[in-house]
Amino acid sequence: MRNVSTTYAVRSVLRNARRTALSVVGIGIGCALALYVDSLIRGTAQLYVAMAAESGSGHLRVVPAEWPVNRDVDLRLADWRADLAAARALPGVRAAAPRARAQVLVAMGSHVLSVEMVGVDPAVEPSADRLVRRLAQGAYLSPGGTGEVVVGRAIADRLDAEVGDEILASVVGATGDIESAMFRITGLAATGSEDVDAGICHVTLEDLARLTGREGAGEVTLILDDWQAAETARAALAARVAGGDRVLTWPELSPEFEGHLRQDRATTRLVTAVIIVIVLLGVTSAQLAAVLERRKEFAVLAALGMKPPRMVRLVLQEALLLGLAGAAAGLAIALPFIAWAATAGLDFRQWMGSNYAFEGVILEPIVYADMGWWIVIEALVIALGATTVASLYPAWFATRTDPAAALRSAQ
């Protein structure tokens, strides 16, 4: 019986080729629009998270247990070497960088500036922080070097300093006394944003420890291969870090970015919903028109004993066939555009310039679409879901057909 119903549904769909083609094209265009918009939003989300993570925030960060409450830069990890080893042993970790921070005054001549100085491991920091991966002038800190500092262009300009100049750094040490040290500028970072440049001041972990009197690292920042695996990685790492330390994910570290992504996802859902509603209206109209044209046919089927549930199943089978064809059409339309956007990207430099700073993070002006197997799944969900829902009313209408009245009006 099911094969007979399916064969009948296929013949019904193919009987009016023009109407079927228009329905499939309408479903395909709506599906393609939804897929393209979603691929761009997914690509934008990946860009935002990657840029924030690789601008110092990280996908995960091991911090002292008290740090989330007051974010005190003077706090240090209970056992930073054990935390670092656990982080580097975790699968899917691209980079794990230890850092320590201190609020210091830097001075050159009569110029004085308050900055956050960051102690780093020069061997791994460039792999975790893209802001110092390429310097405008000079070179990055040398492993094992002492008395070296890399600063942002904004700091150098305010101090009227250049590469090779020495600056004085002063800080309230662990004992409460004022401690000072001289640092030679080895490199200048220039991101294009004055606010971001003003936050770049790197020395080695050992130099910062000597200056502040506080040994060790205050955090271990992790860059993951897959940012969406942050929660899974956090759970695995939390069981391995030293007691008294905890692991935070990127939404906890950058709540403003997480909120921005939520807004983007809400926008995507709204746009997709509008597109689906348009598809629903088009398919409902086409299906209802088909049912009205086939009133005599449904009347004959009812007179021959076809029960309403089976009649509904017949109309829904026709809708599913349209949905499958519409999903295929949507993929055929969308995939070339998504593939182009995933490889060439959409260039927004005309509106953003060479880069754009958001909440202290430099964002790249070229957005790449996300492309994966999710496209096929989403196309099927949208097309089949839309056609099924759109066919419910026409199916119900078909079951309400009075055979006697339909046959009389057809004579």
Side-chain angles (χ1 to χ4, degrees), residues 82-274:
D83 293 344
L84 181 61
R88 288 177 174 171
L90 198 68
V93 174
R94 192 192 317 158
R99 296 177 183 140
R101 301 175 187 269
Q103 199 66 34
V104 306
L105 289 176
V106 291
M108 180 177 171
S110 60
H111 303 285
V112 180
L113 187 64
S114 175
V115 301
E116 183 180 77
M117 182 173 281
V118 184
V120 302
D121 179 354
V124 299
E125 185 63 21
S127 63
D129 188 348
R130 68 190 185 94
L131 300 181
V132 295
R133 207 165 286 162
R134 295 179 181 177
L135 299 180
Q137 288 181 250
Y140 196 62
L141 306 172
S142 55
T146 60
E148 299 178 349
V149 62
V150 170
V151 298
R153 168 62 71 182
I155 294 176
D157 289 344
R158 293 173 191 178
L159 294 177
D160 196 18
E162 289 292 345
V163 172
D165 290 339
E166 291 192 338
I167 60 175
L168 176 68
S170 302
V171 65
V172 178
T175 61
D177 297 328
I178 301 296
E179 306 291 345
S180 299
M182 297 296 294
F183 291 92
R184 180 175 56 85
I185 300 175
T186 62
L188 296 181
T191 64
S193 169
E194 185 173 349
D195 289 340
V196 175
D197 288 352
I200 301 174
C201 182
H202 290 192
V203 298
T204 64
L205 276 169
E206 295 76 13
D207 277 347
L208 190 67
R210 280 191 289 270
L211 175 63
T212 62
R214 297 181 177 88
E215 296 291 335
E219 66 189 64
V220 175
T221 299
L222 287 74
I223 304 296
L224 304 178
D225 291 327
D226 181 9
W227 65 275
Q228 298 184 79
E231 282 294 343
T232 303
R234 188 254 286 273
L237 184 58
R240 305 181 186 182
V241 298
D245 297 334
R246 60 178 298 186
V247 184
L248 302 180
T249 59
W250 65 268
E252 296 169 303
L253 297 167
S254 303
E256 65 282 353
F257 269 87
E258 203 271 335
H260 194 69
L261 291 180
R262 280 203 307 268
Q263 292 178 353
D264 283 347
R265 284 193 290 268
T267 302
T268 302
R269 286 193 290 267
L270 177 60
V271 172
T272 303
V274 171

Side-chain angles (χ1 to χ4, degrees), residues 23-32 34-35 272 275-277 279-280 283-284 287 316-331 375-391:
S23 297
V24 169
V25 170
I27 297 168
I29 292 175
C31 189
L35 292 175
T272 303
I275 293 172
I276 291 176
V277 168
V279 173
L280 281 172
V283 176
T284 301
Q287 289 293 89
L316 290 178
Q317 282 181 316
E318 295 177 12
L320 290 177
L321 290 173
L322 286 176
L324 287 173
L331 289 171
I375 296 176
V376 177
I377 297 172
E378 186 167 308
L380 290 171
V381 170
I382 293 174
L384 294 177
T387 52
T388 301
V389 173
S391 296

